[in-house]
Amino acid sequence: MKSKSENFPVITIDGPAGSGKGTITERIASNLGWEILDSGALYRLVGLAAIREGVDFNDEIRLARIAETLDVSFVPNGDGVDVFLKGDNVSDLIRNEECGSCASKVAAINGVRNALLARQRKFSGPDGLVADGRDMGTVIFPEAKVKVYLTASAKIRAERRLNQLKNQGVNANLASLIEDIEERDKRDTTRKVAPLIPAADAIIIDTGKSSIDEVVSQIMKLVEKVYKY
Ligand code: C5P
């Protein structure tokens, strides 16, 4: 199946957990007035649905079936997007560590990835799409003209997560966050299907070495050059 990006502008932003993809995707999309695809949310939703339905994380057939029939909607709320699973607003719930870890387990299953492929390619906006994930530039939108891969050390990424959790009033421990991140990286980069790797034509940016403003401006320059904005 062909992806939409052959005739539709798509910017792909891939990278590991905590590399700044979410923030940078939002900034780029808001600068351009384009839509966002938060592909990680789809995997988190499959993980959450599996927990709610009591499905074993080794049961690949049932997990793929959950992904195929996922009843989900993304509803703009003026300040972002609310995520609904079977009509239940799960926007905050899917962001917790447990859903992140379950997402990375279900994401290693071929049947789950295949079921989510078409769903992701259907995302669009009136003008263009900024797609955030792990395989946006390699598998979902391989024809995208602007591909970015964000990275940063596991320690820096864990420190960002620690700050986020502190701001939410949640206590966490840096060492265990580093361990979680490294475990998730390992699972994401070594899985057989769509492993986390930069696309051959992606620009790689270390977000531990530049400010968010600098990264956004670097990407915007690239977008301006490619799309003659
Ligand atoms: O980006 P986020 O942290 O929300 O993603 C949660 C998990 O979903 C990741 O650790 C990864 O295993 C999986 N994922 C994926 N492919 C994507 C997006 C997310 O495998 N395109």
Side-chain angles (χ1 to χ4, degrees):
M1 191 201 337
K2 285 188 173 178
S3 81
K4 256 193 166 142
S5 58
E6 279 171 51
N7 46 24
F8 183 83
V10 176
I11 298 170
T12 61
I13 305 202
D14 290 305
S19 57
K21 292 184 308 285
T23 309
I24 287 161
T25 297
E26 272 173 23
R27 291 271 304 269
I28 303 286
S30 141
N31 283 352
L32 296 165
W34 291 10
E35 294 293 314
I36 289 176
L37 163 60
D38 172 5
S39 60
L42 292 171
Y43 291 93
R44 286 172 183 267
L45 285 159
V46 174
L48 178 61
I51 296 172
R52 287 188 165 176
E53 291 177 32
V55 174
D56 186 311
F57 278 84
N58 293 312
D59 189 340
E60 301 197 359
I61 293 176
R62 281 192 70 194
L63 291 169
R65 184 83 192 120
I66 285 183
E68 278 159 23
T69 55
L70 200 63
D71 175 3
V72 50
S73 48
F74 293 88
V75 182
N77 60 16
D79 185 30
V81 171
D82 280 328
V83 184
F84 292 83
L85 178 63
K86 283 191 177 168
D88 182 19
N89 189 335
V90 294
S91 314
D92 291 334
L93 194 57
I94 56 164
R95 297 290 148 212
N96 70 27
E97 308 304 308
E98 190 191 5
C99 281
S101 158
C102 292
S104 132
K105 285 182 195 152
V106 301
I109 299 168
N110 207 6
V112 170
R113 301 202 77 87
N114 280 341
L116 296 183
L117 189 126
R119 210 183 264 262
Q120 292 173 83
R121 287 184 177 165
K122 274 191 211 127
F123 272 79
S124 62
D127 299 305
L129 183 72
V130 188
D132 157 347
R134 302 290 188 291
D135 60 343
M136 300 294 99
T138 48
V139 176
I140 308 294
F141 300 111
E143 309 83 7
K145 292 195 177 73
V146 177
K147 296 183 186 177
V148 179
Y149 186 90
L150 301 179
T151 182
S153 71
K155 182 163 177 281
I156 287 184
R157 291 184 283 128
E159 280 166 357
R160 288 177 183 153
R161 185 66 186 142
L162 188 67
N163 281 336
Q164 258 177 5
L165 291 170
K166 263 192 195 151
N167 290 338
Q168 293 163 7
V170 178
N171 271 332
N173 165 287
L174 183 63
S176 85
L177 284 175
I178 294 179
E179 214 174 285
D180 285 354
I181 279 195
E182 284 175 341
E183 194 184 311
R184 189 128 74 95
D185 284 357
K186 188 164 173 226
R187 208 164 27 225
D188 289 350
T189 53
T190 58
R191 68 183 174 215
K192 288 198 186 77
V193 277
L196 170 66
I197 40 158
D201 48 351
I203 58 153
I204 299 178
I205 304 177
D206 186 336
T207 60
K209 295 193 173 141
S210 319
S211 68
I212 291 177
D213 283 346
E214 284 165 344
V215 176
V216 169
S217 134
Q218 189 179 348
I219 299 172
M220 286 306 295
K221 279 193 192 123
L222 194 65
V223 174
E224 280 154 22
K225 204 162 101 192
V226 170
Y227 289 111
K228 314 268 181 278
Y229 260 79

